[in-house]
């Protein structure tokens, strides 16, 4: 029987715009992109050139520090653009799809006869290794590292998050096949939730299945690691998402790296909220065309807490299974904070909305204030279910006090773990950005 861990700290932000568990038909776009900016700390080195013909699985660029880590094309076609930003930093590598181009066949594999290194080599060769994130630091996993465990969170508790139980249906066999492949690398820990969980998740054959009950961030893999097998000094763990596990399962079962993804369209400004089938790195225009309400809308690849703002002709993030549309919030608001605030969501009882506990809110991207003095108020501790003092950690990062950062647990957290802390912070501190600065400093000074 699985262990059950109940979390009391946290916060469920009740937003309007939850998707129905149905599939909507959308046309596949013509353009797809792999964005190096989706991979923290990556220094890309181009392998393909503009004008090159590529197959699904062809190498586009590699990690300059670890050339064996390959970033591959999700579709067959032609590499049409390498978009750059300031100082010629590569922002997007864009491929125009050609359905007549067959994907690369990496060959079927019999896992029972494969060694750990053979599994790693196949993942590297096919580009599937980039699905692994390594903690500390939340970077693409180092293939030479030996993690003590691999963690898979099979549910997402973020606002309007996709239902992985619905997504995994009809792919249960491939999910277990993927778990079998991961087990060759390190012991696998699966985190599930306590309501209507798919048998593919609750019955996964792995090192341990743990049930988590509680508000967001219960679905964050960092919280699950902290409560089941915390990261100690010098240790490394890998994390991976359910759809990526399925892709790995298909790779070993069929020999083809399947880049298809299920994405959920959510948010109060989305007309048709549903699940759609698309491909990794897809241009979002076909999913949004005629599907946005009137007005100034912010489009987010991911959820409202940790996602990345994209344009209406932008591209789906590498690790994202969600597109959210909310109001920008740049219109004038009569009386501002002095209004009763029946339509505003608040953790405290600042507004009368606390009376309607089950109400869903049409929140926007307005921060409702500017940067203020950062004082210790214990706001963050109320929503942070880990044995870490978040406010003290952020202050240590601001002071660039490496010893204090280590003592206060910086190795155990990444941006998504502290996203709620940023949401409730009345000082308007950019908690996630500050944490990333701290992690980058630790990578540079400690390694």
């Amino acid at each position: 029987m699985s262990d059950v861990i109940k979390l009391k700290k946290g916060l469920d932000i009740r937003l309007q715009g939850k998707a129905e568990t149905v599939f909507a038909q959308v046309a596949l776009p013509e353009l797809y992109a792999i964005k190096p900016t989706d991979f923290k700390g990556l220094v890309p080195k181009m392998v393909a050139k503009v004008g090159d013909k590529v197959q699904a699985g062809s190498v586009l660029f590699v990690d300059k520090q670890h050339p064996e880590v390959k970033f591959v094309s999700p579709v067959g076609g032609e590499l049409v653009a390498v978009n750059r930003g300031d100082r010629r930093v590569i922002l997007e590598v864009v491929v125009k799809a050609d359905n007549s181009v067959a994907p690369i066949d990496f060959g079927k594999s019999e896992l029972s006869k494969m060694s750990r290194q053979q599994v790693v080599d196949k993942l590297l060769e096919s580009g599937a290794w980039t699905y692994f994130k390594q903690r500390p630091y939340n970077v693409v996993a180092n293939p030479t590292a030996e993690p003590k465990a691999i963690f898979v969170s099979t549910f997402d508790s973020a606002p309007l998050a996709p239902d992985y139980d619905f997504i995994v249906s009809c792919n249960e066999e491939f999910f277990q096949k993927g778990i079998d492949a991961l087990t060759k690398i390190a012991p696998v820990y699966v985190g599930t939730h306590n309501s209507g969980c798919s048998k593919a998740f609750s019955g996964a054959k792995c090192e341990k299945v743990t049930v988590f009950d509680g508000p967001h961030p219960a679905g964050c893999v960092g919280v699950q690691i902290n409560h089941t097998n915390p990261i100690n000094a010098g240790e490394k763990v890998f994390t991976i998402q359910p759809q990526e596990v399925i892709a790995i399962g298909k790779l070993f079962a069929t020999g083809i790296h399947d880049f298809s993804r299920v994405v959920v369209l959510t948010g109060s400004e989305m007309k048709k909220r549903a699940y759609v089938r698309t491909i990794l790195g897809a241009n979002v225009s076909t999913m949004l065309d005629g599907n946005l309400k009137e007005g100034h809308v912010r489009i987010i690849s991911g959820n409202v807490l940790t996602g990345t703002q994209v344009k209406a002709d932008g591209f789906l993030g590498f690790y994202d299974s969600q597109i959210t549309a909310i109001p920008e919030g740049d219109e004038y608001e009569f009386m501002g904070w002095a209004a009763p605030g029946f339509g505003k969501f608040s953790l405290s009882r600042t507004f009368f909305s606390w009376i309607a506990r089950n109400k869903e809110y049409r929140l926007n991207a307005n921060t409702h204030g500017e940067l203020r003095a950062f004082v210790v108020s214990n706001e963050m501790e109320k929503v942070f279910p880990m044995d870490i003092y978040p406010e003290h950690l952020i202050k240590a990062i601001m002071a660039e006090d490496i010893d204090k950062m280590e003592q206060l647990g910086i190795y155990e957290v990444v941006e998504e773990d502290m996203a709620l802390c940023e949401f409730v912070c009345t000082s308007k501190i950019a908690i996630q950005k500050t944490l990333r600065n701290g992690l980058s400093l630790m990578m540079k000074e400690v390694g």
Side-chain angles (χ1 to χ4, degrees):
M1 185 175 178
S2 303
D3 291 342
V4 178
I5 295 177
K6 295 185 177 181
L7 304 176
K8 295 182 179 180
K9 292 184 177 181
L11 178 66
D12 288 327
I13 304 172
R14 301 182 298 276
L15 296 185
Q16 293 180 8
K18 186 173 180 62
E20 300 178 55
T21 50
V22 296
F23 281 101
Q25 296 295 323
V26 296
L28 290 176
E30 188 177 50
L31 299 177
Y32 299 81
I34 301 297
K35 300 183 284 187
T37 52
D38 287 337
F39 312 98
K40 306 299 183 185
L42 172 70
V43 180
K45 180 180 178 182
M46 291 299 302
V47 173
K49 299 178 182 178
V50 173
D52 284 356
K53 303 296 182 181
V54 296
Q55 297 172 269
S58 294
V59 181
L60 298 177
F61 57 91
V62 298
D63 182 349
K64 192 172 183 179
Q65 313 250 332
H66 297 280
E68 65 273 26
V69 178
K70 302 173 181 178
F71 298 81
V72 300
S73 174
V75 293
E78 180 184 352
L79 198 165
V80 294
V82 178
N83 298 327
R84 297 177 182 268
D86 294 340
R87 300 185 180 181
R88 294 187 57 76
V89 171
I90 300 174
L91 302 178
E92 299 167 341
V93 180
V94 184
V95 177
K96 183 177 181 180
D98 182 349
N99 295 331
S100 66
V101 179
I104 295 176
D105 189 344
F106 295 97
K108 298 181 182 179
S109 303
E110 193 171 340
L111 278 168
S112 60
K113 296 181 180 179
M114 297 180 74
S115 66
R116 180 187 187 277
Q117 190 57 49
Q118 287 175 320
V119 171
V120 171
D121 289 343
K122 182 155 189 170
L123 293 172
L124 287 168
E125 183 64 24
S126 64
W129 184 264
T130 54
Y131 295 145
F132 291 112
K133 290 184 180 181
Q134 178 180 302
R135 296 197 181 207
Y137 308 135
N138 206 37
V139 295
V140 175
N142 184 343
T144 63
E146 294 190 6
K148 72 169 182 175
I150 298 175
F151 287 83
V152 185
S153 175
T154 61
F155 73 105
D156 192 339
S157 55
L160 309 177
D163 182 350
Y164 284 118
D165 296 325
F166 177 68
I167 290 174
V168 79
S169 57
C170 301
N171 282 301
E172 291 89 346
E173 181 182 349
F174 290 122
F175 180 81
Q176 183 58 53
K177 189 81 171 179
I179 293 293
D180 294 340
L182 303 189
T183 302
K184 287 282 186 175
I185 300 173
V188 178
Y189 290 73
V190 171
T192 68
H193 58 102
N194 66 340
S195 58
C197 182
S198 168
K199 290 183 179 179
F201 299 151
S202 61
K205 298 175 182 177
C206 60
E207 182 73 15
K208 188 176 183 180
V209 176
T210 305
V211 177
F212 290 86
D213 182 17
H216 184 65
C220 287
V221 68
V223 173
Q224 298 177 12
I225 294 171
N226 180 262
H227 284 81
T228 54
N229 194 350
I231 303 172
N232 298 313
E235 294 179 336
K236 295 179 177 63
V237 300
F238 291 174
T239 66
I240 189 171
Q241 299 182 99
Q243 289 204 80
E244 297 161 352
V245 175
I246 292 171
I248 289 176
K250 290 181 178 179
L251 172 66
F252 283 90
T254 67
I256 303 297
H257 189 169
D258 184 4
F259 295 92
S260 62
R261 293 291 184 273
V262 174
V263 174
V264 63
L265 307 180
T266 65
S268 60
E269 306 311 288
M270 197 80 70
K271 293 180 181 178
K272 178 64 175 177
R273 304 155 193 153
Y275 290 76
V276 297
R277 291 184 173 91
T278 186
I279 297 174
L280 180 71
N283 187 284
V284 302
S285 58
T286 57
M287 291 179 263
L288 300 178
D289 186 26
N291 199 22
L292 295 177
K293 295 181 180 179
E294 295 292 330
H296 196 185
V297 177
R298 176 169 295 198
I299 304 164
I300 302 168
S301 178
N303 64 66
V304 293
L305 293 176
T306 62
T308 303
Q309 183 178 1
V310 296
K311 297 180 180 179
D313 61 349
F315 298 92
L316 183 69
F318 189 87
Y319 298 105
D320 295 334
S321 300
Q322 178 180 0
I323 297 176
T324 310
I326 61 174
E328 186 63 44
D330 52 0
E331 66 275 2
Y332 174 73
E333 185 177 355
F334 179 66
M335 292 180 68
W337 62 267
F342 290 106
K344 294 183 178 180
F345 179 82
S346 176
L347 176 62
S348 66
R349 296 191 175 186
T350 303
F351 302 115
F352 288 107
S353 56
W354 66 269
I355 299 173
R357 297 185 180 277
N358 297 319
K359 180 178 178 179
E360 294 182 344
Y361 296 86
R362 181 177 176 263
L363 303 185
N364 56 44
N366 197 318
T367 59
H368 299 288
E370 68 287 338
L371 184 66
R372 304 161 189 174
F374 188 16
V375 296
V376 176
S377 61
N378 294 325
E379 293 171 304
M380 300 181 190
E381 278 77 1
K382 296 176 183 177
V383 298
F384 190 66
M386 296 171 68
D387 190 20
I388 291 173
Y389 295 107
E391 292 180 350
H392 296 78
L393 174 58
I394 295 301
K395 282 179 174 286
I397 293 172
M398 290 178 168
E400 297 188 352
D401 189 334
I402 292 177
D403 290 338
K404 279 291 183 184
M405 289 156 63
E406 286 184 321
Q407 294 167 13
L408 290 166
I410 192 170
Y411 294 134
E412 292 198 60
V413 291
V414 300
E415 292 92 325
E416 67 174 8
D417 302 324
M418 299 189 71
L420 268 180
C421 296
E422 183 170 322
F423 177 77
V424 303
C425 180
T426 53
S427 298
K428 311 299 179 183
I429 304 297
I431 300 295
Q432 295 179 78
K433 182 179 179 181
T434 302
L435 177 58
R436 175 46 56 184
N437 292 339
L439 292 170
S440 298
L441 178 63
M442 298 302 291
M443 289 174 64
K444 178 181 178 182
E445 298 296 332
V446 180

